[in-house]
Amino acid sequence: MAEQPVVKVVGLKKSYGENVVLDNIDFEVNRGEVVCLIGPSGSGKSTLLRCLNHLEIIQDGTINICGDVLQGRNVSKNKEAAKRIRKHVGMVFQQFNLWPHMSVIDNICEAPLRVKKVNKAVIREEAVELLRKVGLEEKRDELPTNLSGGQQQRVAIARALAMQPDIMLFDEPTSALDPELVGEVLKVMKKLAEEGMTMIVVTHEMKFACDIADKVVFMDDGHILEQGPPKEVIYSPKKDRTRQFLSRILDE
């Protein structure tokens, strides 16, 4: 029997008043897959990502993550399901959101210490290993303000990994970085993909999507217009709107 998807979204709708941001969204992510969400600004990509871990409340449809279900309008049950879902999901935002008064290693240790209630020495040892993974072990005692944007984002990735998530969500993780710093963050993400981490990534980095994605999802105006392997969606799109968008992106 085939393994069930770790993320399954069916009929998802999200509105702000009369403004429909997501309309009848369906998609799945299997364990170990990397899915890249692409499309113009305002197409609903980041909102979809935030709905997955209940940072945004959905109006209709269902989100199933590792067997826990968020269901439109079911407010009380969704609160309990969201608590369980957040144990499965790590998220990295456009802005790094590091605590400026805490050292790098304390930023990484804070959530595991509060949530898992395990030995501090064990958590710090795991944090050092994560810093080694993202190439920043020597920065463990620095304050975030002493780091470059790329280094801060790598710390943010390590912080999300400290909760040992099953799924990582990345919301345009390189959009706030100077161009020369983008590569160091993408390198860490590529390594995670190679290690089998399930990832959903909102990105404008088309080469990155082609290199690591198992599936690319093109969104426009709150709808998924097409999805499939990156070489099909990016280089042989079926929809005129996808071709129009990509012709501009790939010519830049």
Side-chain angles (χ1 to χ4, degrees), residues 49-55 65 70 82 85-86 89 91 169:
L49 215 62
R50 291 171 64 85
C51 286
L52 294 180
N53 64 353
H54 204 53
L55 291 176
I65 296 183
L70 298 172
I85 283 172
R86 287 174 185 149
V89 176
M91 187 159 182
L169 310 179

Side-chain angles (χ1 to χ4, degrees), residues 168-183:
M168 286 283 285
L169 310 179
F170 293 87
D171 186 8
E172 296 194 51
T174 60
S175 66
L177 302 179
D178 292 333
E180 65 268 24
L181 301 177
V182 169

